[in-house]
């Protein structure tokens, strides 16, 4: 089988999502670091791949991190961590349900908070306090749903770590290092869940890429 190549930046949350999946599946791949500062993402060769991250394997080219992780989890279901729940229609439906919740309810406010609380200070930009308050309120509602769900199972889609939990890693990581940490800490089950998923060896490998 052709080698997998991931084009992206280790500082991109979308790239981090794909890398975490690859490391959890314990499969070989080639990481092509795209230097955003040097404008490599605007080169003709990279633009043909559409976006960051970009994924290649033979004639298959994908973008959008969640589509990439879904492909990896299915194509390499016999490798590393089982990130899907193929046992029955019921478990697959639960997995799909919580994937939708992450993508459409958790991701929008958490991404805006990461931008305001992490990236803006990093680049010397002023934080929009109103935007922070609005999105903290939105995220709090989602985390209330998570707290109730985690009273029923260890992870969001059940008692096993899956793509659902993995998809939360980048934004949860940055928010736990910001003033938004209080939203997680005030919900004991959510706090324990975040501590669990961010302690995974695969996630540590993703963060190690930022050191080079």
């Amino acid at each position: 089988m052709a080698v997998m190549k991931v084009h992206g930046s280790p500082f991109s949350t979308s790239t981090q999502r794909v890398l975490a999946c690859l490391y959890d599946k314990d499969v070989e791949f080639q990481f092509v670091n795209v230097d955003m500062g040097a404008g490599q993402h605007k080169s003709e060769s990279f633009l043909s791949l559409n976006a960051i991250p970009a994924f290649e394997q033979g004639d298959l080219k994908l973008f959008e991190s969640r589509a990439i992780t879904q492909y990896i989890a299915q194509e390499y279901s016999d490798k590393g961590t089982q990130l899907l729940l193929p046992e029955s229609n019921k478990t697959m439906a639960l997995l799909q349900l919580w994937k939708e919740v992450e993508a459409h309810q958790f991701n929008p406010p958490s991404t805006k908070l990461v931008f305001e609380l992490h990236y803006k200070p990093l680049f010397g930009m002023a934080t929009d306090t109103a935007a922070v308050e609005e999105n903290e309120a939105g995220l709090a509602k989602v985390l209330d749903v998570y707290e109730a769900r985690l009273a029923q199972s260890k992870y969001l889609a059940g008692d096993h770590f899956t793509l659902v939990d993995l998809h939360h890693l980048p934004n949860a990581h940055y928010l736990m290092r910001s003033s938004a940490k209080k939203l997680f800490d005030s919900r004991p089950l959510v706090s324990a869940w975040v501590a669990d998923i961010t302690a995974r060896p695969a996630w540590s490998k993703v963060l190690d890429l930022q050191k080079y």
Side-chain angles (χ1 to χ4, degrees):
M1 184 174 287
V3 65
M4 288 184 284
K5 293 183 180 180
V6 177
H7 303 254
S9 165
F11 298 97
S12 155
T13 54
S14 294
T15 301
Q16 291 166 8
R17 198 173 286 121
V18 172
L19 293 172
C21 182
L22 287 163
Y23 283 131
D24 240 311
K25 294 306 292 181
D26 195 23
V27 291
E28 293 186 8
F29 68 96
Q30 180 183 346
F31 178 56
V32 182
N33 192 355
V34 178
D35 188 343
M36 304 291 286
Q40 290 180 2
H41 60 300
K42 296 180 180 179
S43 68
E44 183 175 345
S45 60
F46 182 76
L47 287 174
S48 67
L49 297 171
N50 289 302
I52 287 180
F55 176 92
E56 291 183 280
Q57 188 175 38
D59 60 358
L60 176 66
K61 292 180 171 60
L62 299 173
F63 58 101
E64 294 295 342
S65 61
R66 291 169 184 80
I68 297 170
T69 59
Q70 182 71 29
Y71 168 77
I72 295 166
Q74 288 183 311
E75 185 69 14
Y76 298 94
S77 60
D78 60 335
K79 304 286 187 181
T81 304
Q82 174 55 263
L83 297 172
L84 303 173
L85 296 172
E87 294 89 353
S88 68
N89 289 337
K90 178 180 177 181
T91 56
M92 287 191 291
L94 282 171
L95 179 67
Q96 187 60 37
L97 167 67
W98 289 100
K99 283 172 62 181
E100 292 289 324
V101 173
E102 182 277 328
H104 300 295
Q105 297 185 37
F106 175 86
N107 191 63
S110 65
T111 295
K112 290 173 184 174
L113 286 169
V114 169
F115 177 65
E116 292 293 340
L117 299 174
H118 175 72
Y119 286 110
K120 275 192 171 182
L122 196 64
F123 293 106
M125 301 167 64
T127 297
D128 184 337
T129 305
V132 170
E133 292 178 355
E134 177 185 351
N135 287 288
E136 281 189 345
L139 182 58
K141 293 178 181 178
V142 180
L143 295 182
D144 283 341
V145 174
Y146 284 13
E147 186 74 4
R149 172 59 181 169
L150 293 167
Q152 302 172 25
S153 59
K154 184 176 181 180
Y155 298 101
L156 288 175
D159 289 324
H160 302 284
F161 179 85
T162 67
L163 280 182
V164 173
D165 309 288
L166 184 149
H167 287 170
H168 288 80
L169 278 167
N171 284 358
H173 169 80
Y174 287 120
L175 293 181
M176 288 297 287
R177 285 154 180 76
S178 75
S179 59
K181 182 176 184 290
K182 62 183 182 291
L183 299 176
F184 298 86
D185 289 346
S186 61
R187 295 164 175 82
L189 297 178
V190 169
S191 178
W193 167 72
V194 170
D196 181 317
I197 66 175
T198 55
R200 295 182 68 81
W203 182 244
S204 295
K205 291 179 181 179
V206 174
L207 298 180
D208 284 343
L209 288 176
Q210 298 181 357
K211 300 175 182 178
Y212 299 102

